[in-house]
Amino acid sequence: MKKFRSIVFPDPSNTKRSVRILHWVFNLVLLLIWCAGLTAMSLWFSGANYGPELYQSYFKYPLIFFLNFLPVVIIALLFFLIINRMWPAVLISAVLVLSPSVAEYFKVLYRGDPLMAYDFFLI
């Protein structure tokens, strides 16, 4: 357990190179898991009004999920590399990904038409 703690919370003053590499790998794996969950949640919100068949169809073909997963990973990695902290990257990527999905959900629910690109200019 002490070894795992030294990987998750490394001491910058006396850390070996291998521990620092493991720390970065651990952070990137956590970020990828976060992005997969965020993608699944975003797909659920965007297709919730159309029935569960649409949501299940996203997972029938892995390429559909991967192509929706890729922008989320790019956004999260971009902010993670700029800020060098996990929680702001997670927070910013969640806001940027879930906001349009939730807007799509409520727009279809109340108005019956999907969210289009020109709707962002109305904000």
Side-chain angles (χ1 to χ4, degrees):
M1 190 66 170
K2 195 169 191 172
K3 178 89 170 158
F4 180 72
R5 184 174 169 80
S6 70
I7 291 171
V8 176
F9 305 109
D11 183 17
S13 62
N14 58 0
T15 340
K16 291 187 259 181
R17 180 177 160 87
S18 62
V19 172
R20 284 185 300 198
I21 290 173
L22 283 174
H23 175 70
W24 276 95
V25 168
F26 180 74
N27 279 335
L28 289 177
V29 166
L30 282 180
L31 195 66
L32 290 176
I33 292 170
W34 163 259
C35 290
L38 189 60
T39 302
M41 210 163 43
S42 171
L43 289 174
W44 183 82
F45 272 120
S46 63
N49 292 320
Y50 301 110
E53 295 84 19
L54 180 66
Y55 183 70
Q56 292 167 357
S57 72
Y58 293 140
F59 298 101
K60 250 181 219 175
Y61 304 102
L63 187 61
I64 294 174
F65 184 80
F66 177 74
L67 290 176
N68 284 291
F69 174 72
L70 201 57
V72 177
V73 169
I74 291 171
I75 290 170
L77 277 177
L78 177 73
F79 284 107
F80 179 60
L81 293 174
I82 289 173
I83 302 170
N84 200 18
R85 297 260 181 210
M86 184 70 80
W87 70 268
V90 164
L91 183 68
I92 292 170
S93 66
V95 167
L96 289 177
V97 170
L98 286 180
S99 297
S101 299
V102 171
E104 160 85 14
Y105 173 75
F106 283 111
K107 189 167 182 214
V108 170
L109 182 69
Y110 292 125
R111 296 191 59 192
D113 57 333
L115 188 69
M116 303 296 271
Y118 62 86
D119 292 330
F120 290 107
F121 294 115
L122 298 175
I123 297 171

